[in-house]
Amino acid sequence: MKKQQIIKELSKYLSYYQILEILKKQTGLNKNQLFFCEDININQKDIEIIKQKLEDNIPYEYIINKAEFYSLDFYVDSRVLIPRNDTEIMVTEAIKEINENNKIDYIDI
């Protein structure tokens, strides 16, 4: 399938970066390989399955089974909550507070 056709079909749902991440997962190619190839070994049925998942409001992170938290990639699926940016801010503040007070009297509930 032509890369531009795939991008066009998925751009309704995802950013360019997210499309590349899905293509990396589906094909096993890295970002540089995807950049230089015109034809991608993925069929229309796979694209339709991805589109259906997105239409069913399945988070993009569950589709690629990856979410970033503190610049680290974590495996995620429907059994795991997807880390959010607000959580990173909260953790940063907690670490700052612990370092300033040299105390560890905190509970994560």
Side-chain angles (χ1 to χ4, degrees):
M1 205 171 171
K2 295 285 183 197
K3 179 173 60 177
Q4 290 305 318
Q5 180 185 354
I6 296 169
I7 292 169
K8 183 178 178 183
E9 286 193 42
L10 295 179
S11 63
K12 174 182 174 185
Y13 309 96
L14 301 167
S15 70
Y16 181 75
Y17 170 80
Q18 291 172 321
I19 294 168
L20 287 180
E21 288 296 313
I22 285 180
L23 292 177
K24 282 169 48 179
K25 180 178 186 215
Q26 292 288 319
T27 64
L29 299 173
N30 66 38
K31 186 170 60 172
N32 292 335
Q33 292 168 320
L34 285 171
F35 181 77
F36 287 108
C37 68
E38 291 299 319
D39 291 318
I40 295 178
N41 190 15
I42 188 170
N43 61 44
Q44 184 65 37
K45 182 180 176 189
D46 291 334
I47 298 299
E48 294 302 323
I49 290 169
I50 293 166
K51 285 172 35 178
Q52 187 60 52
K53 287 179 180 183
L54 293 166
E55 288 173 1
D56 291 342
N57 293 317
I58 294 175
Y60 151 79
E61 291 87 353
Y62 290 161
I63 295 171
I64 64 167
N65 297 116
K66 182 173 73 170
E68 186 178 312
F69 184 76
Y70 258 86
S71 300
L72 299 170
D73 289 332
F74 289 89
Y75 176 88
V76 294
D77 60 23
S78 61
R79 301 170 295 173
V80 179
L81 291 174
I82 299 166
R84 301 287 181 215
N85 292 338
D86 293 347
T87 308
E88 279 193 28
I89 294 167
M90 186 174 63
V91 169
T92 300
E93 290 300 314
I95 291 169
K96 181 177 153 187
E97 182 75 21
I98 290 168
N99 289 335
E100 287 176 1
N101 296 319
N102 293 323
K103 290 174 106 178
I104 305 183
D105 294 337
Y106 298 94
I107 298 175
D108 178 14
I109 299 177

